[in-house]
Amino acid sequence: MKILGIIAEYNPFHNGHSYQIQKAKQITNADAVVVIMSGNFVQRGEPAILDKWTRTHMTLCSGADIVIELPVIYATASAEYFAYAAVKLFHDMGIITDICFGSELGEIAPLQQIAELLLQEPEQFRKNLKQQLQKGISYASARCIALSQYYPNSEKILFQPNNILAVEYLKALLKLNSNICPHTIARKNSDYNSITLHHKNMASASALRNAIAQNNINQINQYIPSECYTILCESILQGKAPIFLEQFTSALHYCIRNKTPEEIKNIFEVTEGLENRIYKAFDTQYELKDIISFIKTKRYTQTHIQRILLHILLQIQKEDILYFNDTIYCPYIRVLGFRREKQHILSLLKKQSALPLLTNLKQYQTILDKKGQYLLSLETKSTDIYFMASPNKIYRRIHQDFTQPMVMISLT
């Protein structure tokens, strides 16, 4: 049996995602699709526009058979942590035979070459990287320039976001010595960061979020599978969505005002005295866009700053990441939803997995060890914070991780 793994955020699910799933199933001849998906906060340093159960429902309606949650400390981390945690989850499941991901390049071989070099980190590469970092540019830019001395086209390749993640997925597979077979599919049409709706039926998630933020819901139906569009509209009509980072401005001010710069220094990804710059930004600015603009430098991109702000909001400490990285990364597999027709895949996962399977959080104390319980506590806290921003007050209740059931649908 061939079981395909896909790593995603689906923020929100659109036609490009549907194309990827169908194309990936076709090229791998997969019998089932397991998706690892970010929960309520995503890698761009933002809350997901729709909650994780709504996005799970969309995903299951569009070709996936099981949806697994990527823990929040990795879902909101840099590409390297994000990719390794997700790939390791697939590896630990024991049932995944293939993994497929999008890339601007659309070819595995050049990405594999870069991944191998980055994993080996030859001495000359490390020296080149250090020299570039000393110029004050971002780590991503410095790495691109250092790599270009080995592969002339790598600088162009690694300035594209999906290629960056693709390389990190391949690095993770190599590091784990995994038997999972990688495949990549070229992104179709719309640019990852484009905020305009200019193609006939393909648009980036950024463009869709921008349209939703401007209340132009009726303009996006052609870019989203019809069933997903219905789910999206229902969620917005009910007041469960949309949710944006700006809605947490006051909460972030509260977090900063209750901390000293020394305490901010302990937050994940805060380095090189950045705590002082963050503290000053909140002291002199109020609007989030102005705060981010104040903190941003050549070395620290807007996305990097937004991730740090999320870590402050969610209280994700450096020691949290070190603790899990030094042990098992993800100590459990949490199922957000599945298709009833593929319940046998869920049974196989439970049998083959090296990690405990969470399907009902009310039983977590009997299933998880202390590491697992601690990571789950960070997850449930982040969910409680996320729903503070629900447009309709009735959806702002706490403990929804314990009251929301798995999403189960049947397509037959």
Side-chain angles (χ1 to χ4, degrees):
M1 181 183 292
K2 299 200 77 176
I3 301 179
L4 169 67
I6 293 175
I7 301 162
E9 293 183 330
Y10 297 150
N11 185 35
F13 197 97
H14 57 65
N15 291 345
H17 297 136
S18 182
Y19 167 81
Q20 185 207 15
I21 291 176
Q22 298 311 317
K23 185 71 173 177
K25 287 169 75 172
Q26 179 186 340
I27 65 177
T28 60
N29 197 27
D31 300 290
V33 178
V34 178
V35 170
I36 288 178
M37 188 183 78
S38 301
N40 290 322
F41 293 91
V42 298
Q43 207 252 340
R44 292 170 64 94
E46 298 173 339
I49 199 167
L50 300 161
D51 70 78
K52 57 190 175 186
W53 293 286
T54 302
R55 287 168 26 251
T56 294
H57 191 184
M58 288 177 158
T59 305
L60 294 173
C61 287
S62 304
D65 298 303
I66 300 175
V67 178
I68 306 296
E69 181 173 41
L70 182 64
V72 67
I73 65 171
Y74 297 115
T76 60
S78 63
E80 184 174 12
Y81 290 124
F82 175 95
Y84 186 82
V87 170
K88 190 173 188 303
L89 264 179
F90 277 144
H91 181 76
D92 289 341
M93 286 179 194
I95 65 169
I96 304 300
T97 58
D98 298 80
I99 182 174
C100 191
F101 40 82
S103 67
E104 289 85 1
L105 189 63
E107 299 176 49
I108 280 287
L111 298 170
Q112 188 84 30
Q113 284 182 323
I114 294 171
E116 288 171 0
L117 188 140
L118 288 175
L119 193 64
Q120 294 163 4
E121 282 197 326
E123 185 179 352
Q124 187 57 47
F125 169 76
R126 290 199 302 271
K127 287 181 179 178
N128 294 343
L129 179 62
K130 185 177 180 180
Q131 287 172 359
Q132 295 303 322
L133 286 172
Q134 287 172 345
K135 296 177 182 179
I137 61 177
S138 70
Y139 178 82
S141 297
R143 187 174 71 165
C144 283
I145 296 168
L147 270 171
S148 67
Q149 298 177 32
Y150 292 86
Y151 302 114
N153 292 325
S154 63
E155 188 171 351
K156 181 179 178 182
I157 292 170
L158 286 186
F159 269 119
Q160 297 175 300
N162 289 279
N163 287 342
I164 293 171
L165 275 174
V167 167
E168 293 301 338
Y169 295 143
L170 292 168
K171 271 178 57 186
L173 289 170
L174 290 168
K175 191 174 180 180
L176 291 163
N177 195 26
S178 178
N179 291 323
I180 297 172
C181 182
H183 310 265
T184 189
I185 297 171
R187 278 185 61 87
K188 287 180 69 69
N189 297 326
S190 188
D191 178 72
Y192 177 82
N193 290 311
S194 172
I195 61 170
T196 58
L197 304 171
H198 55 266
H199 288 289
K200 184 177 179 181
N201 63 354
M202 289 285 185
S204 70
S206 297
L208 296 175
R209 291 192 300 271
N210 185 56
I212 293 168
Q214 295 177 15
N215 204 28
N216 293 326
I217 312 300
N218 60 330
Q219 294 183 9
I220 65 173
N221 62 325
Q222 71 193 75
Y223 304 103
I224 299 177
S226 58
E227 197 162 359
C228 293
Y229 182 71
T230 299
I231 294 168
L232 169 69
C233 290
E234 287 176 354
S235 185
I236 292 173
L237 187 64
Q238 292 167 359
K240 294 169 68 176
I243 292 177
F244 298 100
L245 184 60
E246 290 75 18
Q247 291 167 266
F248 295 94
T249 301
S250 294
L252 276 163
H253 274 277
Y254 175 82
C255 291
I256 294 295
R257 294 178 192 198
N258 273 281
K259 289 192 176 299
T260 64
E262 191 62 29
E263 288 172 320
I264 297 172
K265 186 178 180 180
N266 295 325
I267 296 293
F268 180 45
E269 290 196 270
V270 175
T271 57
E272 299 175 321
L274 197 58
E275 67 276 7
N276 297 312
R277 195 174 182 87
I278 293 169
Y279 205 78
K280 187 174 181 180
F282 278 88
D283 186 40
T284 58
Q285 311 292 325
Y286 188 80
E287 297 300 329
L288 207 53
K289 61 180 178 59
D290 297 326
I291 290 167
I292 293 169
S293 180
F294 185 99
I295 302 169
K296 190 173 66 170
T297 66
K298 282 197 301 182
R299 185 182 288 264
Y300 300 106
T301 64
Q302 178 173 329
T303 298
H304 190 147
I305 299 304
Q306 288 180 181
R307 285 203 305 269
I308 289 174
L309 294 182
L310 276 193
H311 299 152
I312 292 170
L313 178 70
L314 304 177
Q315 293 299 289
I316 298 173
Q317 310 281 326
K318 291 174 183 175
E319 61 183 25
D320 294 329
I321 298 292
L322 291 173
Y323 176 66
F324 289 105
N325 288 4
D326 289 344
T327 53
I328 197 169
Y329 264 72
C330 304
Y332 59 76
I333 297 170
R334 183 187 180 183
V335 182
L336 289 175
F338 67 95
R339 284 179 53 196
R340 289 188 175 91
E341 297 88 346
K342 295 297 178 76
Q343 190 161 356
H344 62 285
I345 304 296
L346 195 61
S347 300
L348 182 65
L349 174 58
K350 188 173 183 179
K351 181 180 178 182
Q352 296 291 110
S353 173
L355 302 172
L357 196 66
L358 270 182
T359 56
N360 183 348
L361 260 60
K362 292 177 182 177
Q363 302 169 352
Y364 80 96
Q365 289 178 316
T366 60
I367 297 172
L368 302 181
D369 60 15
K370 288 184 178 179
K371 288 191 289 287
Q373 290 184 36
Y374 180 64
L375 185 62
L376 185 64
S377 73
L378 295 176
E379 196 69 55
T380 58
K381 181 174 67 176
S382 76
T383 297
D384 289 344
I385 291 171
Y386 176 84
F387 282 108
M388 287 170 55
S390 295
N392 189 332
K393 292 179 182 179
I394 68 169
Y395 295 107
R396 297 179 190 173
R397 60 187 181 276
I398 62 173
H399 304 318
Q400 293 193 49
D401 269 311
F402 296 95
T403 58
Q404 285 278 4
M406 276 195 304
V407 180
M408 293 177 282
I409 70 165
S410 179
L411 299 183
T412 58

